[in-house]
Amino acid sequence: MFKDLITKSRTYRRFYEEVQIPTAELKELVDLARLTPSTSNSQALKFRLCNTPEETEKVFETLGWAGALPEWDGPKKGERPSAYIIILCDLSLGKNKLYDDGIAAQTMMLGAVEKGYGGCILGNVQRSRLAEALGIDTAFYSIDLVLALGKPKEEVVIVPVKENGDIRYYRDDNQVHYVPKRGIDDLIL
Amino acid sequence: MFKDLITKSRTYRRFYEEVQIPTAELKELVDLARLTPSTSNSQALKFRLCNTPEETEKVFETLGWAGALPEWDGPKKGERPSAYIIILCDLSLGKNKLYDDGIAAQTMMLGAVEKGYGGCILGNVQRSRLAEALGIDTAFYSIDLVLALGKPKEEVVIVPVKENGDIRYYRDDNQVHYVPKRGIDDLIL
């Protein structure tokens, strides 16, 4: 059932970095995004695939990891994503396609989860630095989102939001990662 | 396989309007969106469900249907969506959560397709008019996207983009709806 896939698709930030994701599999994820709806069918999004140690290291240096865990710098070497898909907008075809970015990112992430991977949709990106590192010409492309991917090496648990309303995620002493989520009745007007 | 669901999830604009979608099923779709990632785990999106003839008629009047088919006014009575999910942002929790809107919209649409429905993610919405029609206070909520849902009553076919690069969708004499999509190699930098 689709709900199983959605439930399994948690945001992961620590990985078995030694587990590589082949380019062919990353392409299969892009092919899923290719089939999704886009604003006025503009199909303005393009994708840059990174899965070599040289490139993933460059990408990693430009990412901000977990706003709610300020004492944590992000995954240490050996636990970093083994691949990234950079979601770009082709400025000759459109711009500000943020809905489309979300549709494509979620679609590719669910495809990755089906393949036994997991990851994190990152908006906290030093975009100019990333563009320079990968040789992306920002006159032609905007960097919209970064999909970090790998084989997850952490447990992520959804918990109800406490009475004080705090929705910040946290970790326990065993480094289990807890994510408070509002209940369904809080979401429907 | 997930790709089957993605392939089946086309944008539909004509429906068997007499096929109702129960509120319980719409809630199941919102529950899927509840489990998706959101910017900084803000969970700022809220959802308004509409599946009565009185409400769906009001919603319909505020929607723009198919930019590439200017001679078509949208689905006629009897072929209109039988339900809508209005995606709102709770302005006390955040704003401009457009990535999150895309993630939630695509997630709910895929859930709907699994249930045998289909629909259209609509951004062409007269938002002030819709807010007034449904009594949504725009001091507290922005209307972001509208998910139109129903049992599809049309055939939608993906075709390659022609050499002239035209990506506008079109219909043939039998009202089959064709959607040109770029090939995978055009999407990867």
Side-chain angles (χ1 to χ4, degrees), chain A residues 10 35 43 47 182 187, chain B residues 10 35 43 47 182 187:
Chain A
R10 299 299 91 224
L35 297 170
Q43 307 168 65
F47 305 90
R182 295 194 173 88
L187 302 192
Chain B
R10 299 298 90 223
L35 297 170
Q43 306 168 65
F47 305 89
R182 295 195 173 88
L187 302 192

Side-chain angles (χ1 to χ4, degrees), chain B residues 58-141:
Chain B
K58 284 184 196 172
V59 177
F60 179 80
E61 296 300 328
T62 70
L63 304 174
W65 275 93
L69 304 172
E71 76 290 358
W72 188 65
D73 269 351
K76 63 185 181 194
K77 244 186 153 70
E79 296 189 345
R80 293 177 181 168
S82 56
Y84 297 96
I85 298 177
I86 321 290
I87 306 179
L88 308 148
C89 188
D90 182 334
L91 300 174
S92 72
L93 301 174
K95 60 179 179 173
N96 300 327
K97 301 295 184 190
L98 277 61
Y99 298 132
D100 300 1
D101 291 320
I103 291 170
Q106 172 72 342
T107 300
M108 293 191 291
M109 188 58 80
L110 292 172
V113 171
E114 188 187 49
K115 289 178 185 298
Y117 306 117
C120 186
I121 301 171
L122 288 149
N124 185 356
V125 180
Q126 296 177 42
R127 289 174 169 76
S128 305
R129 209 175 143 198
L130 179 57
E132 197 176 356
L134 296 180
I136 292 166
D137 189 336
T138 54
F140 297 100
Y141 300 98

Side-chain angles (χ1 to χ4, degrees), chain B residues 15-27 29 49-57 77-84 112 115-118 148-152:
Chain B
F15 306 90
Y16 294 96
E17 191 172 342
E18 68 277 15
V19 178
Q20 296 294 305
I21 306 182
T23 302
E25 290 195 318
L26 296 175
K27 276 190 167 182
L29 300 182
L49 313 178
C50 302
N51 62 349
T52 65
E54 296 70 33
E55 283 205 326
T56 53
E57 190 171 332
K77 244 186 153 70
E79 296 189 345
R80 293 177 181 168
S82 56
Y84 297 96
K115 289 178 185 298
Y117 306 117
L149 297 167
K151 187 173 168 56

Side-chain angles (χ1 to χ4, degrees), chain A residues 88-100:
Chain A
L88 308 148
C89 188
D90 182 333
L91 300 174
S92 72
L93 302 174
K95 59 178 179 172
N96 300 326
K97 302 294 184 191
L98 277 62
Y99 297 132
D100 299 2

Side-chain angles (χ1 to χ4, degrees), chain B residues 118-181:
Chain B
C120 186
I121 301 171
L122 288 149
N124 185 356
V125 180
Q126 296 177 42
R127 289 174 169 76
S128 305
R129 209 175 143 198
L130 179 57
E132 197 176 356
L134 296 180
I136 292 166
D137 189 336
T138 54
F140 297 100
Y141 300 98
S142 64
I143 293 178
D144 293 355
L145 288 173
V146 173
L147 220 65
L149 297 167
K151 187 173 168 56
K153 195 183 183 177
E154 64 180 349
E155 188 182 354
V156 176
V157 180
I158 291 176
V159 291
V161 176
K162 289 191 192 128
E163 276 188 18
N164 66 7
D166 193 347
I167 43 86
R168 282 177 299 178
Y169 42 81
Y170 54 93
R171 291 180 181 163
D172 67 13
D173 291 343
N174 296 318
Q175 296 301 306
V176 174
H177 185 98
Y178 295 91
V179 181
K181 290 279 190 196

